Amino acid sequence: MKMSKLILGICLIASLALNVYLIKNQMTSNNKQQKIDLDFKASIGRISGSLDSVTDGNYTGYLTAIEHASKAHALSKYSSYNHETSNITGTTSELIHQFRSLYANQKNLTDKERLLQGFQQLSADPNNRETMDDLLMLLNKQ
């Protein structure tokens, strides 16, 4: 009887220790995922600021937009938005391509305000497919 209580006590302590470890591990994983998602959203939002600095004769804003879109593209593979919206990685890749083209051709933005607003909206809700499509359409018109 005493031996079974000892074994039961050891199993109970081991189970408790395992549960504490698993909970701590899950919390760490959730924190990392939240950080990736916040960095992804911030990179999308920073594109807006980069495009705002594009003026006639000063196209360096496209270069910083490329940098932010590249960071968003790298993070998109690991963000939780990649699972919810399967084409987010393709969209960020398309943004990089569009900004390179605009920089190479040294084009001004015709619908600058709509683009800036769109990137701010996309930053707030990266899963908004309609906003993504509108942004790509506006960039294709440039």
Side-chain angles (χ1 to χ4, degrees), residues 97-108:
H97 173 73
Q98 291 293 333
F99 295 142
R100 282 182 185 158
S101 176
L102 288 169
Y103 180 73
N105 297 321
Q106 298 203 347
K107 290 190 174 184
N108 287 324

Side-chain angles (χ1 to χ4, degrees), residues 79-112:
S79 75
S80 64
Y81 305 111
N82 190 37
H83 304 294
E84 296 169 16
T85 306
S86 61
N87 199 25
I88 194 107
T89 303
T91 301
T92 54
S93 177
E94 180 65 22
L95 290 175
I96 296 167
H97 173 73
Q98 291 293 333
F99 295 142
R100 282 182 185 158
S101 176
L102 288 169
Y103 180 73
N105 297 321
Q106 298 203 347
K107 290 190 174 184
N108 287 324
L109 296 171
T110 54
D111 278 336
K112 189 182 224 180

Side-chain angles (χ1 to χ4, degrees), residues 17-132:
L18 180 63
N19 281 335
V20 168
Y21 170 76
L22 291 174
I23 289 171
K24 185 176 179 181
N25 193 24
Q26 182 66 33
M27 288 174 58
T28 302
S29 177
N30 287 344
N31 288 341
K32 287 178 185 176
Q33 186 65 56
Q34 287 176 346
K35 183 171 177 1
I36 289 169
D37 288 348
L38 286 174
D39 284 348
F40 175 77
K41 289 169 69 172
S43 294
I44 294 292
R46 287 184 188 119
I47 291 171
S48 178
S50 299
L51 294 179
D52 194 30
S53 68
V54 173
T55 58
D56 192 24
N58 182 10
Y59 304 105
T60 57
Y62 290 132
L63 296 176
T64 54
I66 292 168
E67 289 176 21
H68 295 305
S70 295
K71 183 176 180 181
H73 179 66
L75 290 170
S76 69
K77 298 170 190 169
Y78 305 106
S79 75
S80 64
Y81 305 111
N82 190 37
H83 304 294
E84 296 169 16
T85 306
S86 61
N87 199 25
I88 194 107
T89 303
T91 301
T92 54
S93 177
E94 180 65 22
L95 290 175
I96 296 167
H97 173 73
Q98 291 293 333
F99 295 142
R100 282 182 185 158
S101 176
L102 288 169
Y103 180 73
N105 297 321
Q106 298 203 347
K107 290 190 174 184
N108 287 324
L109 296 171
T110 54
D111 278 336
K112 189 182 224 180
E113 287 304 314
R114 284 181 59 195
L115 281 168
L116 299 180
Q117 262 184 333
F119 279 108
Q120 290 302 319
Q121 289 174 349
L122 190 62
S123 174
D125 181 16
N127 286 324
N128 190 333
R129 187 78 226 157
E130 185 179 324
T131 302
M132 282 185 204

